[in-house]
Amino acid sequence: MVELIKPRRICLGDTVGITAPSSWVDIEQVKAASAMLENMGLQVRLGDTLSMQHGYLAGTDEARAAELNAMFANPEIKAIICARGGYGSGRIANLLDYQLIRANPKVFWGYSDITFLHAAISRYAGLVTFHGPMLIDLEKDVNPLTLQNYETLLRPSILRYTEEVSRLQTLVEGEAVGPIVGGNISLIVSTLGTPYELDTRGRLLFMEDIDEEPYRLDRMLNQLKQAGKFADAAGILICDFNNCVPQKRKVSLTLEQIFHDHIVSAGKPTLSGFKIGHCSPNIAVPIGIEARMSTYEKLLVCAESGVEA
């Protein structure tokens, strides 16, 4: 792991680059959502990948990696926001220039499939990145708290998550301090055994997912448990598991039973109920920033902002 660095804050009038490191997008959706950023006083530059299709990908691996590298290198672009997730970010991890990224620290923002890139950039560039709502999440019916995430990049603030946002439930009592890491559980599992494997040692691990049946989550949680990811963590944050209900196998364990079997057994302070992930609102998390969680106070609070003021 390299020494942690934070990106520079965004200012009014700055240019934000929009790219698609994973699946292809509907360009009209992107243009409609871009208006939300423009209304905030930002300039928007759309990447070429937004108009590309290569099977289920937004262009070839080489094209998607080249665009992301170019956006980090371009001094006119002050932040990079992923248009959407889907699948494919793990395919370009070995094509990114991590020295270039570290030399040009700027906001990198996304979630879902982008989890793989958060893990890779954190490990090899040491840059704080943001697990937050993507561009297409801004197209319509945007929860005010979701939009507020972007505004904090213009006016840096410290993440403080309490039950004012959502009801939190204690699974294992306790308090813990450590850098925040995590994201989509499917992608966290996909890092195992690769050079980009997520390191949870002494960290606060958060997890979310969507449309995964309980038996599939059972398999993934069991793999993470056997890999020592829960035992290594300082604390665990269970976030939104949207539409993770039995479909193929109607007779099923509940999510609560699965969490108990694989996470509670690790004995680490554990809170569930965070509106982080494929949900509304979707609260942004600065990955790599030191934070404190407490089941007694029902809170998660960062020690500092995720950007340089």
Side-chain angles (χ1 to χ4, degrees), residues 159-182:
L159 172 65
R160 182 180 176 87
Y161 196 117
T162 69
E163 287 196 298
E164 291 183 5
V165 180
S166 63
R167 179 176 176 271
L168 301 176
Q169 181 180 358
T170 299
L171 275 66
V172 180
E173 289 190 347
E175 296 183 334
V177 175
I180 303 177
V181 299

Side-chain angles (χ1 to χ4, degrees), residues 48-216:
D48 292 338
T49 57
L50 303 177
S51 301
M52 294 181 180
Q53 289 188 26
H54 179 63
Y56 36 74
L57 304 170
T60 64
D61 295 344
E62 291 75 15
R64 287 177 289 119
E67 180 165 279
L68 189 51
N69 283 331
M71 284 191 174
F72 270 105
N74 189 338
E76 295 181 358
I77 294 177
K78 305 302 182 181
I80 303 168
I81 295 174
C82 298
R84 64 158 298 178
Y87 171 74
S89 73
R91 292 175 56 120
I92 69 171
N94 66 327
L95 299 175
L96 298 183
D97 186 336
Y98 296 101
Q99 290 184 336
L100 168 71
I101 293 172
R102 184 171 178 82
N104 298 273
K106 57 187 68 175
V107 169
F108 177 71
W109 186 288
Y111 74 108
S112 193
D113 190 65
I114 309 304
T115 294
F116 202 106
L117 295 184
H118 287 313
I121 292 172
S122 177
R123 178 176 286 270
Y124 291 105
L127 176 65
V128 171
T129 59
F130 291 84
H131 181 281
M134 290 180 284
L135 191 71
I136 60 171
D137 294 324
L138 303 182
E139 185 193 9
K140 57 183 177 180
D141 300 326
V142 185
N143 187 290
L145 287 178
T146 297
L147 186 59
Q148 186 176 315
N149 290 302
Y150 285 92
E151 294 172 349
T152 62
L153 295 176
L154 291 165
R155 291 170 288 277
S157 62
I158 296 174
L159 172 65
R160 182 180 176 87
Y161 196 117
T162 69
E163 287 196 298
E164 291 183 5
V165 180
S166 63
R167 179 176 176 271
L168 301 176
Q169 181 180 358
T170 299
L171 275 66
V172 180
E173 289 190 347
E175 296 183 334
V177 175
I180 303 177
V181 299
N184 184 272
I185 188 174
S186 304
L187 275 297
I188 294 172
V189 169
S190 75
T191 70
L192 297 180
T194 75
Y196 314 100
E197 182 168 333
L198 189 70
D199 185 1
T200 65
R201 291 174 294 180
R203 291 163 167 79
L204 304 183
L205 171 63
F206 73 95
M207 298 175 295
E208 66 86 30
D209 218 317
I210 185 172
D211 294 338
E212 293 286 1
E213 291 197 51
Y215 82 93
R216 292 171 59 88

Side-chain angles (χ1 to χ4, degrees), residues 197-246:
E197 182 168 333
L198 189 70
D199 185 1
T200 65
R201 291 174 294 180
R203 291 163 167 79
L204 304 183
L205 171 63
F206 73 95
M207 298 175 295
E208 66 86 30
D209 218 317
I210 185 172
D211 294 338
E212 293 286 1
E213 291 197 51
Y215 82 93
R216 292 171 59 88
L217 290 172
D218 190 341
R219 183 188 68 236
M220 289 185 277
L221 288 168
N222 181 57
Q223 187 171 356
L224 289 173
K225 177 178 69 176
Q226 301 224 10
K229 297 305 176 182
F230 303 139
D232 287 346
I236 298 170
L237 311 168
I238 298 176
C239 303
D240 200 83
F241 282 79
N242 191 350
N243 196 39
C244 291
V245 297

Side-chain angles (χ1 to χ4, degrees), residues 10-21:
I10 302 174
C11 298
L12 289 174
D14 279 350
T15 298
V16 175
I18 310 298
T19 187

